[in-house]
Amino acid sequence: MSQLSRALKKSRKAAYAAGTSRNHRTQWRTYLYFTLHFNLVFLPASLQTICLYCQFLSRSLTPPSIKNYLSGVRLFHLMLGFPFPDLSAHELQVTLRGIERLAQHHPQRAPPITPQLLSTFVSCGVDFDPSDFTFSCAFLFAFFLFARISNLVPESLVASGVHDYKRIYRGDVVPTHFGLCVKFTWSKTIQLGQRVLELPLVRVPNSPLCPVRMFYLMCELVPAPDSVSLFVLPSRSGRLRPVLKSQFVSVLRNRLQSAGVPQSHLFRGHSFRRGGSSWTFSSSIPGELIQVFGDWRSDAYKCYLDVSMPLKLRVSQGMVARLAQSDT
């Protein structure tokens, strides 16, 4: 029974990813500080306390973040066996709606990376350092795969010799007749190992933006075994160290700034995901295929699409053309 109890505790702890657990702890700590500061009963919370907490959070958080913190407090109650006020209660819904109306929150979206932008900072010649090829390859993979940055590079290092199931390794990129096949065993939507996402990368003949050519150049200049992270950098000691998320974003912004791109500090990993999907959409690829390729569970992929004025113009022209046909 003691072994079973320990296994049960371990299973419950594994229910949430490490990042989610960190967010929960932050949400619980914030709620406890709030109730202690104002001398409120924190367990179980009354509906009035929850409404006051939402108003308190509105001083520094956006409406979507307030709902996330509210969900965290609800989970805190449930895990400790306490009842929690009904989230659909009129008093709470009116509070959240009023906060949202007063906030007038406009989310700041990452600017999309376009092929034109890619061509300004993905160009590696004989005078370039081998690490330049690594970053250029990572940028091309991010664009052509609509990849989340967490799928390509880790956020932090893990202990030597430990296999991180979240990483993508050199052995996960397989040569094929059309170019490359990239295998993802973990993503935001694949956290339990329930499937493997396989995506193709096709050659772009005579183009500096060919991800297949850049991959082979990277492997030639920065050789590594299949068991090593896909994107690695050589160190002075001769050991290979993986490219981290912070390095990916830093090099991206530095290259954009050197190319004279305005507001380069606004670009981040999601710029590739948004730019690649938008470029594909402008190429008349069906939205259902974009959703599957980008590993979106729902229609949320539509929020990533940057619908340009020429595309909007096509809609208006189509209406006018149909109207002209009906008149005749």
Side-chain angles (χ1 to χ4, degrees), residues 10 17 50 57 96 115 126 129 140 154 179 187 229 269 276 283 289 301 328:
K10 183 178 180 181
I50 294 301
L57 292 176
L96 292 173
V126 294
D129 188 86
L140 291 176
S187 75
S229 295
S283 304
L289 290 179
Y301 77 94
T328 58

Side-chain angles (χ1 to χ4, degrees), residues 222-241:
V222 190
D226 290 347
S227 58
V228 171
S229 295
L230 176 56
F231 303 110
V232 292
L233 300 172
S235 62
R236 293 181 179 179
S237 63
R239 299 182 61 182
L240 297 173
R241 49 190 176 85

